[in-house]
Amino acid sequence: MHALLTHLHEAGFRGAPRPLGFDERGREVLAFAPGTVVWPERFALVGDDTGLSRVGRLIREFHDAVAGFVPPPGARWQRLIPMEGDEIIAHHDLAPWNLVVDGDRGPDGWVFIDWDTAAPGSRLEDLAYAAHAFVPLSANPAWQRADAGPRLRVLADAYGLDDEDGRRRLVPYLGRRTRAMHDFLRARSAAGHQPWARLWAEGHGRVWREDAEYIERQEETWLRALLDC
């Protein structure tokens, strides 16, 4: 992770914590990211088109910055879920609970944290996971939005997903990436691994499954929104 964050900082990306080296026990030290985590109390910051567009641009800036990263020999990744691609080192948890916002810092005030599970993956997988969380694509009536389709379009436009083929390929990832989280929690819970067993018992697996089912039922809606047809 240290090598990855160092590369991002040197590439000019300010949406990740700045690495500060290692302490006397060999632990990685990162600069503190001041501000407030968006989820759940400050979700309104990304609840309109302006905030959501900023998220899309930030993700694109990260993906472009990381594209030139060459992992050091012997690099090991804490890959939780098998990914279908390896074109970049993806974050794998781009979500409001990992976005810290500090309004006093201007353009540098939006920072993604929790890079521990960064690992090889694809741009579309990373973007699909972010769409589930930031649009959000939720089966829960408390979070489900009537404008989910248009908001998905806003995120894709801000990211710069311009080609029709890329937009078509994104749609199936929306459901697959969400269902993969359910399957991961189920498997880890069955094996007795924490904190996953606790999260499963608290109902997180059910939430991911219901969201996946909702997303899969609405694939035509997402496709029409993305293609504006």
Side-chain angles (χ1 to χ4, degrees):
M1 182 183 68
H2 186 84
L4 171 63
L5 294 179
T6 297
H7 169 86
L8 292 176
H9 184 72
E10 292 176 349
F13 180 67
R14 296 297 178 260
R18 182 167 59 92
L20 299 178
F22 299 83
D23 67 10
E24 66 282 356
R25 296 173 58 186
R27 297 174 300 184
E28 294 172 333
V29 179
L30 306 177
F32 176 71
T36 305
V37 176
V38 168
W39 183 266
E41 285 82 7
R42 302 195 69 190
F43 189 80
L45 289 171
V46 297
D48 61 11
D49 288 358
T50 300
L52 188 61
S53 293
R54 187 166 181 177
V55 170
R57 292 193 299 272
L58 187 63
I59 295 173
R60 180 57 183 262
E61 290 169 8
F62 156 52
H63 284 173
D64 287 349
V66 80
F69 175 60
V70 178
R76 293 180 295 176
W77 308 104
Q78 188 177 215
R79 191 196 302 259
L80 300 183
I81 297 172
M83 294 292 111
E84 298 178 30
D86 60 359
E87 62 181 304
I88 61 169
I89 301 302
H91 183 285
H92 294 305
D93 200 4
L94 297 172
W97 46 86
N98 283 328
L99 177 61
V100 174
V101 173
D102 179 4
D104 295 332
R105 295 176 60 217
D108 293 339
W110 288 38
V111 175
F112 280 117
I113 59 173
D114 197 5
W115 292 79
D116 292 347
T117 58
S122 74
R123 291 174 179 252
L124 287 181
E125 287 171 312
D126 232 17
L127 184 60
Y129 184 93
H132 167 258
F134 281 106
V135 171
L137 301 176
S138 174
N140 186 336
W143 290 100
Q144 190 176 116
R145 296 185 55 140
D147 62 347
R151 279 177 59 79
L152 179 61
R153 174 65 180 257
V154 167
L155 183 67
D157 286 352
Y159 179 83
L161 192 61
D162 293 330
D163 64 291
E164 179 177 326
D165 179 61
R167 290 176 180 245
R168 289 184 179 276
R169 288 189 294 116
L170 174 65
V171 171
Y173 275 121
L174 298 172
R176 288 207 302 269
R177 187 64 180 82
T178 304
R179 188 170 292 280
M181 282 301 302
H182 165 267
D183 295 345
F184 166 78
L185 286 173
R186 180 180 59 187
R188 291 299 176 95
S189 175
H193 295 162
Q194 295 293 355
W196 318 115
R198 174 180 56 80
L199 293 174
W200 180 266
E202 292 174 351
H204 288 258
R206 173 183 53 79
V207 172
W208 285 102
R209 175 178 54 78
E210 291 177 353
D211 284 0
E213 292 170 350
Y214 161 74
I215 293 168
E216 290 161 353
R217 287 196 303 270
Q218 300 292 327
E219 281 196 352
E220 285 300 320
T221 298
W222 316 137
L223 185 60
R224 287 196 300 270
L226 287 170
L227 299 182
D228 197 21
C229 60

